Amino acid sequence: MSIKHSITKSIGIDRPREEVFAFLADPANWPAWAVVNVQSIEPTEDPCWWRMSTPLGPARLGLRANAEFGILDHVFDDDTDSWRVPARVVPNGDGAEFMMTFYQPPSLGDSEFRTQIDLVDIELATLKKILEGGGADVTA
C-alpha cells in the first residue's frame, strides 16, 4: 500500500457558508475564480459533467456537491491525467473556510506538482476577492 503525496489549500472567506457553497457548486462560476485553469465552461447532457477550455486544451469537470455537508468533490480530466480533488466548505464563525486537497498524479514530478499547486493560491485569492468584494451575485 502506498500513500500519494498531497497538499491541502484553504482560504477563509467572510461570507456565509451557504453563499460560498452556492457560488462554488455552480460550475458556470468557475471561469471567474479558477482563472489559471478554467478559461470557459459549458454543461453537457450529463448534469454532473461540464466541458472546459483550459490553457492546456479541452478538459472535463465532474462535480459531486452536497450542500448539507459542504462537499464539493470534483474530478478534473484532461488528455494528460485525471485529478480527483476532495473539497469542502465549512463554517468559520460567521464566514466560511474553503479547502481542497490535491494528490500528486503519477504524470507530474515533484517540482511540476508544486508549481501547479502554487498557482491555486492565485485562484483562491481571486475567489476571496469576488465573494468578499461584491464582484458576483453569490445568491444566483
Side-chain angles (χ1 to χ4, degrees):
M1 183 169 157
S2 65
I3 296 175
K4 294 181 177 181
H5 180 211
S6 68
I7 295 176
T8 299
K9 297 278 187 164
S10 68
I11 193 159
I13 300 172
D14 192 14
R15 291 295 290 259
R17 186 197 72 83
E18 296 78 14
E19 289 181 19
V20 174
F21 181 87
F23 183 80
L24 290 167
D26 183 353
N29 292 325
W30 286 41
W33 70 271
V35 296
V36 173
N37 292 301
V38 183
Q39 295 172 326
S40 67
I41 194 164
E42 62 185 41
T44 66
E45 52 285 342
D46 180 341
C48 293
W49 285 96
W50 292 67
R51 220 175 344 267
M52 297 187 304
S53 293
T54 76
L56 299 177
R60 297 182 330 138
L61 174 73
L63 181 62
R64 304 294 185 265
N66 180 301
E68 180 182 0
F69 298 109
I71 296 170
L72 287 166
D73 293 353
H74 55 281
V75 178
F76 180 88
D77 285 334
D78 67 15
D79 290 340
T80 63
D81 222 318
S82 179
W83 290 52
R84 299 194 181 286
V85 181
R88 302 290 183 273
V89 178
V90 298
N92 181 348
D94 292 334
E97 192 78 17
F98 176 51
M99 59 194 89
M100 296 184 289
T101 298
F102 300 90
Y103 297 96
Q104 184 174 351
S107 64
L108 291 183
D110 291 343
S111 65
E112 293 170 303
F113 178 62
R114 172 54 76 183
T115 297
Q116 289 302 310
I117 296 308
D118 286 347
L119 293 172
V120 172
D121 294 335
I122 295 168
E123 295 182 335
L124 292 176
T126 302
L127 176 66
K128 182 177 179 73
K129 182 178 178 182
I130 288 170
L131 292 177
E132 290 183 356
D137 179 3
V138 297
T139 60

